[in-house]
Amino acid sequence: MAYADFHRRSLEDRDAFWAEQARLVDWHVPPARICDADQPPFVRWFAGGQTNLCHNAVDRHLAERADQPALIYVSTETQQERTYTFRELHHEVQRMAAVLQSLGVGRGDRVLVYMPMTAEATFAMLACARLGAIHSVVFGGFASVSLASRIEDFTPKAVVSADAGSRGGKVLAYKPLLDEAIRLSAHKPQAVLLVDRGLASMEKVAGRDHDWATLADRHAQAQVPCAWLDATDVSYTIYTSGTTGKPKGVQRDVGGYAVALAASMKHIFMGEAGGTFFSTSDIGWVVGHSYIVYGPLIAGMATIMYEGLPIRPDAGIWWSLVEKYKVTGMFSAPTAVRVLKKQDPAFLKKHDLSSLKALFLAGEPLDEPTARWISDGLGVPIIDNYWQTESGWPILTIANGVEKKASKFGSPGVPMYGYDVRLVHEGTGEELTEPGQKGVVVIEGPTPPGFMQTVWRDDARYVQTYWSSIPGRQVYSTFDWGIRDADGYFYILGRTDDVINVAGHRLGTREIEESISSHPNVAEVAVVGVADPLKGQVAMAFAVPKDASALTDDAARLKLEGEVMKLVDQQLGSVARPARVRFVTLLPKTRSGKLLRRAIQAVCEGRDAGDLTTIEDPAALQQIRDLVQR
Ligand code: AMP
C-alpha cells in the first residue's frame, strides 16, 4: 500500500484505522469506543476495552513460542549472559509479581524502579504491568536530588533497586544514593526491594528493606494471573526535563500503548515474531521502555538487554552480539555511532551481520558523515527516527513496513500514521505550508495511541506546557524547530526552549542551574547547550561567584570549578555535569532581567550573537567571548 494513503486514512478514517491496528494485540474485552476526543486536548483511546501489557508481551506467546528466546541478558560489566525463553520469562515475572504483592503492591499502586540494566529490572516492569501497578523507572545515572524529586512527585509505595551499577568496570553504588534520596523526600516509600549483585555492600533499613533473592525463593513457584485493566488505566510514568527545574511525569495508558507499540513494531521496525531486536538504550529512557522491554516482546521477538559500553572489551562487542543472536533489527543513538567511528573500522567487518535488516537511530539529530559511515560499514539501511519521551514512539520516520521508501540524509522522514504534523510560525501561530519555511513543529490533536495522556497528577500543567504555547491555536508543541521540503520530508533544526540534548539525553538547563546555584560561593549561573562533535551538545556553565577575592589565578578557579562539578554529580548525576564551569563578574541579561541564553550559546559556538538591542550591559557578553576565545 502507498504510505501516503495509509497516513491519510489514519487521520481521515481514524476509528476504522485504529480499530484495525487494535487487532494486533489481545483484548480480554474489546474496546467499545476507539477514539474519544470529546475533551481536547485529552484523548481516551480504546475506552471500554480491557487488556494487559504483560499478557501481550509474555503470556500470549506461550501457546506458540514458549521455548523461543524472549529476554537475552548480556552484561560485559559482570560477565553474565543468559537467555530466558518466553516460558522462563513468564515464570520470572510471576515470581517478581508475587514478591511485590507480598510487599503490599496491588492494582493502582506505584512502584519506582531505580535499577541498572539487569534482567530483574525487566521482570519488575513486567510484574507491575501484570498486577496493574504503575511503574516509574528512573535512569540509574541520576543521583539523589534528581531521584528525590521523582520520589516526591510519584509517591511510590515500593521501590525496586540494587546494590550497584557498573560502567566501564567502575562500580557505582546505588543504595547510598537511594537512601539519601528517600531522606530528602517528604514522601517515604513503605518498602524497598533490593537486588544484590554482589558489587557493593548494602546497609539495610530494618522493616523497610527486603532482599530479592530471599523473597524470590519464598515465591519460587508463584502463579499470579494478569489483572485485566481498562485500556485507559495508567501503565507508567517517566520523568523528563523541561524548561522549569521540576521534571514532568509523562503519563501513559495501557491499551493505546500496547496498540501503538504493536503497530510500530510492524510498520516501522519491520519486526517479525521469532526475530531478535537489539536496542542499545537503557531502561531508564523511553526508548528502553518501548523498544527494549515492551515493543519487541509484544511482537513475539527476543529482545537483547545489554549492560556495558559499546567499546568494551572492544569496539566489536555489539556486532558480535548481532552475529551470535542473529539480530534482525537494531536501535541505537547517533552519539554511540560517533563513539564507534573513532575506533578501528575493521570491527565492523569482523562479524557476520547478514541477519540484520536495518539500524534505527534516534534521540538527536543524525549528521550526514555519521550516517554515511555506519551505512557503508554495515551495508544495511540506516533509518533515522524522530520522537520524544512524550510520544512514546516515532513521530517522523519512514514506515518501511508499509511501503519501502528511501531516506534522505539529514531528515528523519515524514509524519507517521496517526500524527497530523504541522509547521507554524512561533509568534503568530500561522501555518507554514511553503517548502523550506522554518517553524515550530506542532501536532494537531487528537494525538495517536501511545502518546502521553497527561502530566502525572497535573492536567493543568499538561495543557499549559504543551498545548498553549502557539498563539491562537490549541496544538501540541514539540518545542523543536523544523522545515519541510517539497517532498514532505521534515528536517529538525533544534529546540525552541532551554532543553539541551547531551549524547541523546535530554536535560533541562534550569535543573543544572538550580544545582550549581546551591554551591555556597555561586551567586548566579547560566547554563547553555553548546555544539559538540561527539555528544551533539554539551552543557556549558557561566557562574558569578559570591566572593571572587580568592579567585585570583587559574588554580583557584579550577578548584572551584571542580567543586561545582562534584556538586552536580552528587545531586543530579554525572549525565548532567557541565563540560566547563567558567567564572564571570556578571551575566548577559535583558533590561528586564531575562537571561540571554541564546546569545551566550551563539558566542560559545562562535556565531553572531544576534539582536542585542535589549541587553543591559554588553560587557557581560564580551567577558564570555574573551573566555571562550582564550
Ligand atoms: P527525549 O524526550 O529525551 O527523547 O528527547 C526528545 C528530543 O530529542 C526531541 O524533541 C528532539 O529535540 C530530539 N530528537 C530526538 N530524536 C531526534 C532525531 N531523530 N532528529 C533530531 N532530533 C531528535
Side-chain angles (χ1 to χ4, degrees):
M1 183 196 253
Y3 178 73
D5 295 334
F6 191 77
H7 182 250
R8 195 173 312 114
R9 200 172 153 245
S10 75
L11 301 182
E12 287 174 3
D13 203 0
R14 183 173 289 112
D15 281 7
F17 178 91
W18 286 107
E20 223 166 78
Q21 303 305 317
R23 284 187 214 119
L24 294 169
V25 304
D26 269 8
W27 295 89
H28 180 63
V29 176
R33 197 167 167 194
I34 302 301
C35 177
D36 168 2
D38 292 351
Q39 286 177 312
F42 301 96
V43 196
R44 298 172 73 243
W45 281 100
F46 308 115
Q50 287 185 3
T51 185
N52 183 293
L53 280 161
C54 184
H55 168 83
N56 278 288
V58 184
D59 300 47
R60 82 159 159 157
H61 300 302
L62 294 175
E64 269 186 54
R65 51 189 87 256
D67 296 314
Q68 177 191 301
L71 176 67
I72 299 167
Y73 178 70
V74 180
S75 171
T76 52
E77 297 289 338
T78 59
Q79 315 314 323
Q80 266 181 300
E81 190 156 342
R82 175 157 179 205
T83 297
Y84 300 84
T85 63
F86 277 99
R87 191 195 312 282
E88 288 163 336
L89 182 60
H90 184 234
H91 175 74
E92 293 289 351
V93 169
Q94 293 192 86
R95 205 154 67 124
M96 179 65 86
V99 168
L100 289 175
Q101 271 181 331
S102 77
L103 298 177
V105 173
R107 182 168 174 174
D109 288 332
R110 294 162 306 283
V111 177
L112 186 134
V113 178
Y114 181 57
M115 288 282 268
M117 290 285 282
T118 56
E120 288 79 8
T122 294
F123 305 156
M125 291 168 76
L126 290 168
C128 286
R130 191 168 193 88
L131 296 171
I134 303 166
H135 64 65
S136 192
V137 183
V138 176
F139 176 57
F142 284 127
S144 46
V145 171
S146 306
L147 184 55
S149 71
R150 286 154 173 83
I151 293 176
E152 208 159 280
D153 193 67
F154 188 58
T155 59
K157 189 172 204 178
V159 174
V160 183
S161 191
D163 57 339
S166 176
R167 200 178 148 75
K170 213 175 121 205
V171 169
L172 177 75
Y174 279 30
K175 183 63 172 31
L177 297 176
L178 174 63
D179 286 342
E180 173 65 4
I182 295 176
R183 194 186 66 75
L184 292 171
S185 163
H187 171 83
K188 313 288 178 195
Q190 136 194 335
V192 174
L193 181 64
L194 293 158
V195 176
D196 190 348
R197 311 176 74 197
L199 293 176
S201 63
M202 282 192 281
E203 271 178 41
K204 298 245 172 68
V205 175
R208 185 197 74 183
D209 294 356
H210 303 268
D211 177 50
W212 156 249
T214 311
L215 294 187
D217 267 355
R218 230 175 267 166
H219 297 274
Q221 298 310 322
Q223 293 194 340
V224 181
C226 286
W228 295 115
L229 307 175
D230 290 337
T232 53
D233 279 349
V234 183
S235 60
Y236 70 79
T237 75
I238 177 168
Y239 284 84
T240 189
S241 299
T243 44
T244 66
K246 188 174 178 270
K248 294 182 285 279
V250 167
Q251 175 185 316
R252 228 177 294 286
D253 68 0
V254 173
Y257 191 48
V259 173
L261 292 182
S264 69
M265 286 308 298
K266 178 174 177 202
H267 304 311
I268 299 172
F269 297 104
M270 299 176 286
E272 279 168 22
T276 302
F277 206 72
F278 178 17
S279 167
T280 69
S281 184
D282 186 286
I283 48 150
W285 306 116
V286 69
V287 178
H289 286 64
S290 294
Y291 299 112
I292 295 177
V293 179
Y294 292 111
L297 293 174
I298 286 175
M301 300 178 79
T303 182
I304 296 185
M305 184 179 193
Y306 173 69
E307 181 188 48
L309 300 179
I311 50 170
R312 227 174 78 112
D314 61 46
I317 176 66
W318 282 359
W319 316 118
S320 73
L321 293 176
V322 170
E323 176 173 2
K324 180 167 179 187
Y325 294 108
K326 304 207 166 31
V327 170
T328 47
M330 194 165 164
F331 193 130
S332 192
T335 295
V337 176
R338 288 194 290 265
V339 167
L340 293 177
K341 201 169 146 211
K342 293 173 90 177
Q343 309 285 323
D344 185 350
F347 282 115
L348 283 172
K349 300 285 173 211
K350 267 173 61 180
H351 299 278
D352 175 8
L353 307 179
S354 57
S355 59
L356 193 63
K357 287 194 280 189
L359 171 66
F360 302 90
L361 295 175
E364 57 184 311
L366 173 61
D367 56 288
E368 187 163 339
T370 302
R372 282 200 192 279
W373 179 81
I374 192 72
S375 165
D376 292 347
L378 293 180
V380 301
I382 305 300
I383 299 160
D384 188 2
N385 56 118
Y386 161 88
W387 47 300
Q388 307 182 308
T389 306
E390 288 84 348
S391 70
W393 59 283
I395 299 170
L396 301 171
T397 184
I398 305 292
N400 285 296
V402 179
E403 182 193 14
K404 289 243 181 317
K405 256 184 146 175
S407 294
K408 291 191 189 188
F409 279 118
S411 164
V414 301
M416 282 300 94
Y417 51 90
Y419 284 102
D420 188 357
V421 185
R422 316 269 177 107
L423 287 172
V424 298
H425 186 279
E426 180 198 28
T428 65
E430 180 206 347
E431 189 154 343
L432 307 173
T433 49
E434 291 301 313
Q437 283 180 301
K438 175 178 168 179
V440 182
V441 179
V442 302
I443 300 167
E444 195 80 54
T447 48
F451 204 87
M452 74 186 288
Q453 290 179 297
T454 184
V455 172
W456 172 249
R457 286 188 177 141
D458 204 342
D459 287 349
R461 192 174 177 200
Y462 178 57
V463 177
Q464 181 57 34
T465 305
Y466 294 104
W467 294 84
S468 311
S469 71
I470 305 295
R473 30 198 315 177
Q474 195 182 49
V475 286
Y476 171 90
S477 176
T478 63
F479 298 102
D480 280 305
W481 294 112
I483 55 170
R484 182 177 35 210
D485 70 11
D487 300 325
Y489 284 64
F490 280 72
Y491 295 77
I492 300 296
L493 307 172
R495 298 281 302 192
T496 66
D497 58 8
D498 295 327
V499 165
I500 64 173
N501 193 318
V502 179
H505 302 327
R506 171 159 155 194
L507 301 169
T509 48
R510 280 296 314 150
E511 276 169 86
I512 306 175
E513 286 171 1
E514 280 178 19
S515 174
I516 293 177
S517 299
S518 70
H519 188 282
N521 197 15
V522 171
E524 251 196 315
V525 61
V527 172
V528 297
V530 175
D532 179 83
L534 190 64
K535 297 183 170 178
Q537 278 188 312
V538 291
M540 207 60 88
F542 295 93
V544 179
K546 276 186 188 148
D547 174 8
S549 60
L551 297 183
T552 46
D553 57 14
D554 279 348
R557 282 186 286 270
L558 276 173
K559 182 167 169 282
L560 183 56
E561 177 172 16
E563 279 175 30
V564 169
M565 288 190 179
K566 200 166 149 208
L567 186 74
V568 176
D569 275 8
Q570 281 167 351
Q571 294 191 349
L572 305 180
S574 55
V575 272
R577 184 199 306 150
R580 290 287 327 248
V581 183
R582 319 294 274 272
F583 300 99
V584 290
T585 58
L586 76 169
L587 291 170
K589 290 186 184 168
T590 61
R591 277 187 280 278
S592 56
K594 218 171 156 264
L595 260 179
L596 285 163
R597 285 201 186 78
R598 284 188 208 178
I600 303 177
Q601 181 187 42
V603 165
C604 290
E605 293 180 349
R607 289 183 285 115
D608 181 63
D611 179 15
L612 292 173
T613 44
T614 60
I615 195 167
E616 171 79 27
D617 185 350
L621 208 55
Q622 192 53 45
Q623 273 193 39
I624 292 178
R625 197 174 284 119
D626 292 344
L627 274 174
V628 172
Q629 281 168 1
R630 204 150 65 96

